[in-house]
């Protein structure tokens, strides 16, 4: 899927691709990533839920990726962990950002942007999303949150609980972020 956004911003997304799934599984069989994840979780077996490849390019600095939790599947989130890896060197201002401790918060439902006068739809379409608390406006009052981020080199991996609120910082002008 390719989205061309205003201001010269292009986002390419490959998520849960049936075409590439066998390739990713084979790559993981020959990788240390499953062993790292199993050691972190203290388990002998893992379930592979899928992959998401994002490439974000821009002529000007882009908007940040919205704050979210990776809870878009109606499954029990206990023991679900994300592995975020970058294919580009990123300074702390352009890396993934987290709200420390938010993995202990409830499952939240962010809202999609709506045009003025329209009802704002829920991001998650399943029924229990209507009963989830809304997301706080982290960008409006960032000082109220313990925000953390790290500079990353190519191939660095960050492990985080899927309930942890996170978002990608803007891509710098004439830059890209491949994760």
């Amino acid at each position: 899927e390719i989205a061309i956004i205003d201001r010269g911003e292009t986002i390419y997304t490959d998520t849960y691709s049936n075409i590439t799934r066998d390739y990713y599984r084979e790559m993981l069989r020959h990788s240390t990533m499953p062993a790292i994840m199993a050691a972190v979780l203290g388990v002998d077996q893992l379930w592979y839920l899928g992959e998401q490849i994002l490439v974000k390019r821009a002529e000007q600095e882009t908007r940040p990726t919205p704050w979210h939790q990776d809870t878009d599947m109606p499954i029990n989130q206990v023991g679900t962990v994300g592995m975020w890896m970058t294919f580009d060197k990123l300074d702390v201002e352009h890396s993934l950002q987290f709200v420390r401790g938010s993995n202990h918060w409830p499952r939240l439902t962010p809202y999609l942007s709506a045009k003025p006068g329209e009802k704002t739809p829920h991001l998650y379409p399943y029924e229990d999303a209507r009963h989830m608390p809304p997301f706080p406006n982290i960008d409006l009052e960032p000082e109220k949150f313990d925000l953390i981020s790290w500079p990353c080199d190519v191939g660095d991996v960050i492990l985080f609980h899927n309930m942890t609120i996170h978002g990608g910082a803007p891509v710098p002008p004439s830059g890209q972020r491949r994760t």
Side-chain angles (χ1 to χ4, degrees):
E1 177 179 319
I2 297 177
I4 308 298
I5 312 298
D6 60 347
R7 303 179 330 164
E9 185 177 339
T10 303
I11 302 171
Y12 170 80
T13 306
D14 179 11
T15 304
Y16 310 123
S17 170
N18 289 330
I19 296 169
T20 58
R21 175 141 314 166
D22 289 339
Y23 169 78
Y24 290 122
R25 284 185 177 161
E26 187 61 23
M27 177 197 70
L28 287 170
R29 271 194 264 285
H30 300 286
S31 165
T32 58
M33 288 195 298
I36 292 168
M37 184 64 70
V40 167
L41 293 174
V43 297
D44 295 325
Q45 292 185 332
L46 298 171
W47 286 55
Y48 172 72
L49 294 178
E51 75 293 332
Q52 182 176 48
I53 306 297
L54 295 171
V55 178
K56 195 172 186 180
R57 295 187 177 112
E59 296 168 11
Q60 303 175 40
E61 185 168 90
T62 65
R63 292 169 291 207
T65 303
W67 295 101
H68 63 283
Q69 295 166 308
D70 288 342
T71 58
D72 55 337
M73 294 178 283
I75 61 172
N76 183 337
Q77 298 298 319
V78 174
T80 57
V81 179
M83 296 183 85
W84 183 86
M85 182 169 61
T86 181
F87 300 100
D88 296 297
K89 184 177 175 95
L90 301 171
D91 57 32
V92 71
E93 292 83 17
H94 296 102
S95 191
L96 193 62
Q97 300 173 325
F98 298 87
V99 177
R100 187 191 317 257
S102 59
N103 57 300
H104 299 291
W105 296 7
R107 191 171 175 196
L108 305 171
T109 184
Y111 297 95
L112 295 174
S113 297
K115 295 178 184 172
E118 288 184 4
K119 184 178 178 186
T120 304
H122 287 269
L123 176 61
Y124 303 136
Y126 41 87
E127 185 60 34
D128 66 340
R130 299 186 196 300
H131 306 291
M132 292 179 192
F135 248 71
N137 191 335
I138 297 166
D139 292 325
L140 184 64
E141 299 178 294
E143 66 280 356
K144 289 187 174 183
F145 302 91
D146 187 4
L147 302 179
I148 56 173
S149 187
W150 301 272
C152 294
D153 284 321
V154 174
D156 282 356
V157 174
I158 298 174
L159 304 177
F160 62 96
H161 191 282
N162 283 21
M163 291 289 288
T164 304
I165 294 174
H166 60 285
V171 174
S174 299
Q176 73 175 358
R177 182 174 56 236
R178 299 173 298 165
T179 58

